[in-house]
Amino acid sequence: MLAAALEASALGAWMRGSNWAYPVANLVHLAGLILLIGNLLLLDLRLLGAGRQFPLPALSSVLTPLAIVGLVLLLASGVLLFAADAAPLLANDLMQLKLVLIALGVVNALVFRRLHDHRLEAWDQDPPIAGRVQAFLSIACWLIAGTLGRLIAYA
């Protein structure tokens, strides 16, 4: 199994054995979570109609790259954290649901960009219902995934 091999690898041993590797990876993971969820929450709330005084295309061009940085930090640090205890984590129901929600969040974002990115200029005049549903789903996926990630330590 890939998870067991990752856990038994030099990376897994280093993450478990180092006094600083796991705590630093955890802090980077938290920073990534803040960057991703904070920026996506602002953007998704704007897509849902809040803060109309801020032009949506300009807001998107600022917040989206920051959210992507957050996602990259989460993925990189998540692999490190996962390596420390991969087999039990993979068997954890909360972790499995978290991974599904992350995949859904990423797919939702990619589909949204493909379908609606060119419509942001006129969003406030004619917001597509599907786009608003996707904004709501984005908020739900990422907030629940982040919450599950924090709860895994207690399960």
Side-chain angles (χ1 to χ4, degrees), residues 90-133:
L90 196 56
N92 184 304
D93 291 340
L94 296 178
M95 181 66 167
Q96 292 173 15
L97 182 54
K98 174 186 171 181
L99 293 174
V100 167
L101 288 169
I102 290 168
L104 287 174
V106 169
V107 168
N108 183 50
L110 293 172
V111 169
F112 181 90
R113 289 293 168 184
R114 177 101 165 120
L115 295 177
H116 305 293
D117 209 28
H118 65 283
R119 299 180 183 174
L120 294 181
E121 194 70 47
W123 188 275
D124 292 328
Q125 290 75 39
D126 186 26
I129 298 299
R132 289 201 169 191
V133 168

Side-chain angles (χ1 to χ4, degrees), residues 11-152:
L11 178 63
W14 177 66
M15 287 302 296
R16 285 187 306 280
S18 171
N19 287 333
W20 58 270
Y22 196 94
V24 168
N26 203 17
L27 289 173
V28 170
H29 205 66
L30 184 58
L33 184 68
I34 292 165
L35 275 171
L36 176 70
I37 292 181
N39 288 293
L40 282 183
L41 186 60
L42 291 172
L43 184 55
D44 289 336
L45 288 172
R46 176 63 184 87
L47 290 166
L48 291 171
R52 288 183 187 229
Q53 68 269 30
F54 301 104
L56 190 49
L59 196 61
S60 179
S61 70
V62 171
L63 298 179
T64 300
L66 293 171
I68 292 169
V69 169
L71 182 60
V72 169
L73 289 175
L74 280 167
L75 293 174
S77 60
V79 168
L80 295 175
L81 295 169
F82 184 74
D85 208 22
L89 280 173
L90 196 56
N92 184 304
D93 291 340
L94 296 178
M95 181 66 167
Q96 292 173 15
L97 182 54
K98 174 186 171 181
L99 293 174
V100 167
L101 288 169
I102 290 168
L104 287 174
V106 169
V107 168
N108 183 50
L110 293 172
V111 169
F112 181 90
R113 289 293 168 184
R114 177 101 165 120
L115 295 177
H116 305 293
D117 209 28
H118 65 283
R119 299 180 183 174
L120 294 181
E121 194 70 47
W123 188 275
D124 292 328
Q125 290 75 39
D126 186 26
I129 298 299
R132 289 201 169 191
V133 168
Q134 284 182 277
F136 176 79
L137 288 174
S138 173
I139 291 170
C141 283
W142 294 115
L143 285 179
I144 295 169
T147 301
L148 291 173
R150 298 297 98 197
L151 292 176
I152 288 171

